[in-house]
Amino acid sequence: MPQAEVNIGLVGHVDHGKTTLTEALSGIWTDVHSEEIRRGISIRLGYADTSFYKCKECDRYTTKEKCPYCGGATQFLRRVSFVDAPGHEMLMATMISGAAIMDGAILVVAANETCPQPQTKEHLMALDIIGVKNIVVAQNKVELVSREKALENYKQIKEFLAGTPAKDAPIIPVSAIHRANIDKLIEAIEKVIPTPKRDETKPARMYVARSFDVNRPGTRPENLRGGVVGGSLQQGKLKVGDEIELKPGIKITREGRTAWQSLVSRVVSLHAMDSPLEEAKPGGLIGVGTLLDPSLTKGDSLVGSVLGLPGSLPEVLTSLELDVNLMKRVVGLEEELEIKPLVTGEVLMLNVGTTMTVGTVVSARGDKATVRLKLPVCVEIGARAALSRRIAGRWRLVGYGIIK
């Protein structure tokens, strides 16, 4: 099975059917953690790969090698990775971290609720801030409403999109639970979300979006496997046997002083979903098996790190100089509030790549700010940091900063 070449996010308001739509597209239910199953919502980022095909006989799109509509032979188009982001407002930071590895997105809007809902707005704004421009809208749950109600909701979606960067995004009515119109959704994805050009000649670089201990309790020491990190290569290639470095790494305290130490290891395995790889390319979600102590990778503890070849990664920064761009109003609230300028001493939450950290504004001067971070970040100068402020008891997205 070839490696997926493009990462497509599923974003939108809580309970609008993102995970069900991911399953309709891929056959994989991504809510696998016990708390997600108990509560019926996504809490962590979910991942699923599938392949797109086009029927040579009836020209319809599918994820099956044999056309389910006419039984004809199909042509393979490409393999894609889906990133299922949580929709709950308390998990907005997780969604923004996921957006760092998305090449395009499906904005899921339920037809049985008025549009826009608070997180519909907030997720669309987050995509814009992170730089995800290629968007398809899935008008889901059309089976729950009348034709007239579906058309009314469709008009609401059009009006909502009109004032946003996604004003030209196609809107595809679907029923994820009944697998209805999924072929038209795939067709829209193929037309609107291209595979981006990536430079495979540069040194390998990957944002870590998940990290695991894959050993079962009670595994004998001689049978233990090293820690696994998951994410998506932004550039370069990674091969089994390559030496790798992860930054910022782990926190070390010696004689009362704290520092961050990068981790160096070796790639012992590569996987794209269940398929082993000898070499991984940019695009698509991969798992990287290492020789790291699995206690270092368990429970997503290395999420936010950057993986690359030793000596090739950017600096680790404990404070950021930012050119600040604030939105005019806070989205995600029933009543939208005006966003006031940053002030010295306030605490912000920042998303940089897949890193989530809080920081204190130590200097605010108009559209310039210096922020001291609680957790360091490994980042290129010129990258974006999404900025959130504590409003009404929640972290709310207020804008972004360009790192200088």
Side-chain angles (χ1 to χ4, degrees):
M1 188 67 69
Q3 181 189 338
E5 60 189 69
V6 64
N7 302 332
I8 299 170
L10 282 98
V11 303
H13 195 72
V14 66
D15 204 29
H16 277 204
K18 295 180 292 298
T19 303
T20 306
L21 185 56
T22 304
E23 186 189 30
L25 285 160
S26 69
I28 296 169
W29 186 258
T30 56
D31 283 355
V32 294
H33 304 282
S34 57
E35 187 69 4
E36 292 177 317
I37 293 166
R38 186 180 72 79
R39 293 172 61 185
I41 62 169
S42 297
I43 295 171
R44 302 183 184 185
L45 295 171
Y47 302 105
D49 283 7
T50 195
S51 296
F52 288 165
Y53 301 87
K54 186 178 182 183
C55 180
K56 295 176 181 177
E57 307 292 329
C58 68
D59 281 343
R60 293 178 77 172
Y61 291 75
T62 178
T63 57
K64 310 293 183 188
E65 289 187 42
K66 184 178 179 182
C67 179
Y69 306 106
C70 74
T74 61
Q75 175 189 352
F76 173 78
L77 300 174
R78 61 177 173 170
R79 194 155 174 81
V80 303
S81 281
F82 291 112
V83 184
D84 178 17
H88 198 284
E89 62 174 345
M90 292 176 67
L91 301 166
M92 188 66 199
T94 304
M95 178 268 156
I96 297 173
S97 292
I101 59 174
M102 295 175 191
D103 302 310
I106 302 169
L107 179 66
V108 183
V109 181
N112 64 333
E113 294 188 23
T114 55
C115 177
Q117 292 292 311
Q119 271 57 61
T120 309
K121 284 185 181 181
E122 201 168 13
H123 281 203
L124 188 58
M125 188 62 69
L127 291 175
D128 183 45
I129 280 175
I130 298 299
V132 180
K133 304 298 184 191
N134 300 318
I135 296 169
V136 174
V137 179
Q139 184 194 24
N140 193 25
K141 303 192 181 187
V142 292
E143 79 281 358
L144 298 179
V145 298
S146 65
R147 185 175 188 275
E148 291 72 27
K149 183 72 176 170
L151 286 169
E152 181 187 332
N153 178 258
Y154 184 93
K155 288 175 184 170
Q156 289 175 354
I157 297 171
K158 278 298 261 188
E159 287 171 13
F160 161 59
L161 295 177
T164 74
K167 61 182 183 298
D168 298 322
I171 305 167
I172 312 298
V174 299
S175 170
I177 202 161
H178 293 301
R179 310 292 198 265
N181 233 25
I182 298 300
D183 60 320
K184 290 297 181 186
L185 181 60
I186 295 170
E187 182 178 354
I189 292 168
E190 283 298 287
K191 289 177 178 173
V192 173
I193 306 177
T195 298
K197 289 184 171 64
R198 311 183 207 264
D199 194 338
E200 295 182 9
T201 64
K202 289 184 176 179
R205 185 167 302 167
M206 183 181 99
Y207 289 134
V208 176
R210 299 294 304 272
S211 72
F212 314 91
D213 172 4
V214 294
N215 300 288
R216 295 184 180 279
T219 302
R220 295 184 64 81
E222 63 269 21
N223 297 326
L224 285 171
R225 289 192 284 168
V228 176
V229 293
S232 184
L233 279 173
Q234 306 300 302
Q235 63 183 45
K237 297 178 182 179
L238 207 54
K239 298 190 294 294
V240 172
D242 280 350
E243 294 290 324
I244 54 169
E245 183 177 20
L246 290 108
K247 286 184 172 183
I250 56 172
K251 192 175 180 180
I252 302 289
T253 303
R254 287 197 190 98
E255 299 176 359
R257 293 192 173 193
T258 298
W260 286 79
Q261 180 178 309
S262 66
L263 297 170
V264 177
S265 188
R266 187 162 55 83
V267 178
V268 295
S269 65
L270 291 165
H271 281 83
M273 295 302 287
D274 295 327
S275 302
L277 304 170
E278 280 300 311
E279 182 178 75
K281 297 179 180 180
L285 300 161
I286 58 170
V288 182
T290 73
L291 295 174
L292 291 171
D293 186 323
S295 67
L296 297 175
T297 59
K298 70 179 182 181
D300 283 337
S301 53
L302 287 183
V303 168
S305 291
V306 181
L307 179 152
L309 304 182
S312 71
L313 293 174
E315 275 187 80
V316 172
L317 303 176
T318 55
S319 68
L320 298 178
E321 296 286 336
L322 300 173
D323 283 333
V324 177
N325 296 266
L326 297 178
M327 304 182 307
K328 289 186 171 59
R329 307 188 80 76
V330 180
V331 298
L333 295 167
E334 294 295 337
E335 181 187 353
E336 296 187 357
L337 305 173
E338 185 183 350
I339 294 174
K340 293 183 169 50
L342 300 185
V343 294
T344 300
E346 78 167 304
V347 177
L348 301 172
M349 185 176 72
L350 298 91
N351 287 83
V352 184
T354 54
T355 303
M356 286 182 273
T357 182
V358 294
T360 304
V361 180
V362 293
S363 172
R365 315 167 298 283
D367 61 355
K368 312 282 183 192
T370 304
V371 183
R372 187 172 59 242
L373 305 177
K374 184 174 182 183
L375 296 175
V377 296
C378 174
V379 65
E380 296 269 16
I381 302 302
R384 286 190 180 197
L387 307 176
S388 299
R389 175 185 267 161
R390 199 86 173 158
I391 298 171
R394 297 274 184 269
W395 291 110
R396 306 285 180 184
L397 194 60
V398 294
Y400 67 91
I402 303 291
I403 298 167
K404 298 194 297 177

